[in-house]
Amino acid sequence: MIRVLENAKRLYALKRNQKLPAYKRYIFDDLHRSPAKITAIYGSRGIGKTTTLMQLLQRSDLPESSKLYISCDHAMFQDVSLFEFVDEFSKKGGELICIDEVHEALNFEQELKSIYDFLDIKVYFTGSSALHLTSPDFARRYSMYHLYPLSLREYLELTLDISLQPYNLETVLEDHENIASEIIQNLPDKKILKFYTAFLKTGAYPFYFEDQSKYVDRMIETMNMILYTDLSRLFSIQPDKIDTLKKLLLAICVSKPLELSIEKLSSTVGITKTTLYKYISYLHDAELIRHITHEGKRFAAIKRPDKLYLAHTNLFGALCLNSDAGTIRETYFAANVAAKHTLHYLDRGDFLVDEKYTVEIGGKNKSFGQIRDIPNSYVIADDLEVGFGNKIPLWLFGFLY
């Protein structure tokens, strides 16, 4: 174990020599201030979890000898007990350890529980989006932070090197005209829609800013890693079944949400309905798709089809060439709002948010006809810079985090 620790310290020294981005994701300050003994960061691959760990280590005032970064997907940790390794580091003066890709470690849940119960050391760890669902005990024992893909706000900050504040949903609904005008005034050329249009296709993953020409290739690689590594390991999916998951993603990409009945989808993909429900759950947990149920299902087992979306709009470019404009709009709205709010779909209107707000999504000429007499209802309009009354620009929902 001492030899493994020595190698881990050598690799950490090498990683410290790599230049870190100055930009910090929206949850960084909360993570840094977290008083929890063990803090988890979970989310999809490629969204900046590793960078965030290195930034936390960099921000720490502890001496370098007392802190460490490891990645459990490294070969040297293949047959190593995570608890025994962290115990060895703690005995040698370790006070802070950042553990990347924890779901790659053997029996990682039990190992983390033992670290929590027996060792006096502060731990940050990252894992797959599906990690938090494998054990309800996680939520009770650790401080859990969900890191989502870049928002439009973060994309603008990185692209333009400016600072823009986020707004909560209620503030956006009540004061959207002033907020939109203020944001636009902060942009160098006072034009928001060109950035929003570009962001629908690129920029949700931070690696976009490393090499823009290879962005789609990197997205495809990231999806394959999620499918072949994360889901395969966490849910014991056989490699020959991964092609079925890919077919399911493609079917969602080329279809409108309500065209995807379970019967039609199971026939298209070539699996039973039971298996299909299971695979939908896996892809939802892995943040490749978003599964939204009808609002009536809150109260009874109403037989209504579920809506299936890709997790965010950038995935369309990696999966299919042709996609429906209305589906892209709804996907953008759902991706941003679902980060902090509940979503159901409706018969009148497109979404019910937090069981309170009804929203209808469309182009800039979308009317209130379908939802006119519904309390707390709003039209969310695409291709609109600044809204008025209960008509709000769609791009503005990229400022919720």
Side-chain angles (χ1 to χ4, degrees):
M1 193 61 71
I2 292 176
R3 186 178 181 86
V4 177
L5 179 57
E6 288 173 351
N7 284 333
K9 287 194 170 188
R10 180 179 62 83
L11 291 177
Y12 172 48
L14 291 173
K15 198 160 184 70
R16 285 203 314 273
N17 291 333
Q18 298 175 352
K19 186 177 180 180
L20 275 177
Y23 188 81
K24 296 175 176 61
R25 295 296 313 277
Y26 67 96
I27 63 170
F28 179 83
D29 289 336
D30 289 339
L31 288 168
H32 178 65
R33 292 191 295 261
S34 173
K37 183 176 177 180
I38 296 185
T39 301
I41 309 166
Y42 64 96
S44 183
R45 282 185 179 266
I47 57 171
K49 299 191 299 295
T50 300
T51 297
T52 299
L53 287 183
M54 293 305 296
Q55 290 172 331
L56 287 165
L57 286 163
Q58 185 183 66
R59 177 71 67 86
S60 169
D61 294 328
L62 292 170
E64 292 298 341
S65 60
S66 298
K67 51 191 182 183
L68 184 63
Y69 165 89
I70 65 170
S71 181
C72 293
D73 63 357
H74 193 282
M76 72 177 177
F77 290 105
Q78 204 164 41
D79 297 311
V80 172
S81 161
L82 194 58
F83 171 78
E84 291 179 10
F85 176 84
V86 176
D87 183 33
E88 187 68 32
F89 176 55
S90 179
K91 287 189 291 189
K92 295 293 190 294
E95 298 180 63
L96 169 64
I97 185 168
C98 289
I99 305 171
D100 214 356
E101 306 288 353
V102 76
H103 55 280
E104 294 288 337
L106 291 171
N107 303 315
F108 66 90
E109 294 182 47
Q110 183 58 49
E111 299 284 296
L112 285 171
K113 180 180 181 300
S114 296
I115 292 169
Y116 180 91
D117 289 340
F118 298 107
L119 302 182
D120 183 19
I121 187 170
K122 186 171 180 64
V123 177
Y124 290 98
F125 71 85
T126 72
S128 162
S129 305
L131 174 69
H132 68 297
L133 296 177
T134 60
S135 170
D137 197 40
F138 264 34
R140 294 193 296 271
R141 195 171 295 272
Y142 315 127
S143 222
M144 305 286 287
Y145 288 85
H146 196 159
L147 186 61
Y148 292 94
L150 290 172
S151 64
L152 176 62
R153 180 188 71 85
E154 293 178 297
Y155 169 79
L156 288 168
E157 288 188 326
L158 282 162
T159 301
L160 301 173
D161 193 24
I162 59 176
S163 180
L164 297 164
Q165 74 175 79
Y167 299 89
N168 63 46
L169 177 65
E170 290 74 18
T171 303
V172 168
L173 296 178
E174 293 171 6
D175 198 27
H176 61 89
E177 293 181 48
N178 291 324
I179 293 170
S181 297
E182 183 179 338
I183 291 169
I184 292 170
Q185 287 303 308
N186 282 324
L187 303 181
D189 60 2
K190 310 296 187 287
K191 296 183 186 298
I192 185 64
L193 293 182
K194 71 174 186 179
F195 292 107
Y196 159 72
T197 302
F199 179 68
L200 292 177
K201 299 178 180 179
T202 57
Y205 291 103
F207 54 69
Y208 168 76
F209 296 92
E210 297 172 12
D211 186 351
Q212 297 179 14
S213 66
K214 296 293 183 182
Y215 183 64
V216 172
D217 293 338
R218 288 283 300 274
M219 277 203 299
I220 292 171
E221 291 171 9
T222 299
M223 281 192 290
N224 284 334
M225 284 291 287
I226 293 170
L227 294 170
Y228 286 100
T229 302
D230 296 349
L231 292 184
S232 177
R233 187 176 187 88
L234 284 170
F235 301 115
S236 301
I237 301 175
Q238 297 303 310
D240 62 321
K241 302 299 182 185
I242 298 300
D243 285 340
T244 304
L245 293 176
K246 287 184 174 180
K247 287 181 184 178
L248 180 54
L249 286 170
L250 179 59
I252 293 170
C253 187
V254 299
S255 305
K256 293 182 180 180
L258 279 178
E259 290 179 349
L260 296 171
S261 69
I262 292 299
E263 287 77 10
K264 181 178 178 181
L265 199 52
S266 60
S267 175
T268 299
V269 178
I271 54 178
T272 66
K273 288 193 288 184
T274 301
T275 301
L276 176 60
Y277 277 119
K278 185 167 61 176
Y279 283 3
I280 287 171
S281 176
Y282 292 162
L283 291 172
H284 176 84
D285 292 349
E287 294 185 44
L288 287 175
I289 69 171
R290 194 171 311 282
H291 180 200
I292 297 178
T293 59
H294 188 271
E295 60 94 18
K297 288 189 175 181
R298 294 175 295 156
F299 311 109
I302 297 175
K303 290 189 176 182
R304 296 300 302 269
D306 297 339
K307 275 191 172 184
L308 299 176
Y309 296 94
L310 294 181
H312 59 78
T313 59
N314 284 192
L315 291 173
F316 284 98
L319 286 166
C320 58
L321 294 176
N322 299 312
S323 46
D324 177 72
T327 300
I328 290 176
R329 291 168 182 156
E330 292 182 28
T331 299
Y332 175 83
F333 180 84
N336 287 281
V337 176
K340 295 185 177 180
H341 303 274
T342 62
L343 282 179
H344 296 88
Y345 82 89
L346 300 155
D347 294 327
R348 294 177 62 199
D350 288 313
F351 294 109
L352 179 66
V353 183
D354 289 343
E355 303 184 6
K356 179 178 181 181
Y357 306 109
T358 298
V359 302
E360 175 81 4
I361 299 172
K364 64 180 179 182
N365 296 320
K366 186 73 176 180
S367 74
F368 285 84
Q370 194 172 0
I371 58 172
R372 187 177 302 278
D373 58 346
I374 300 176
N376 298 313
S377 61
Y378 300 84
V379 165
I380 312 300
D382 202 5
D383 301 320
L384 185 69
E385 286 192 326
V386 179
F388 49 90
N390 280 23
K391 194 168 192 175
I392 306 174
L394 179 57
W395 65 262
L396 191 51
F397 290 86
F399 280 72
L400 296 181
Y401 67 84

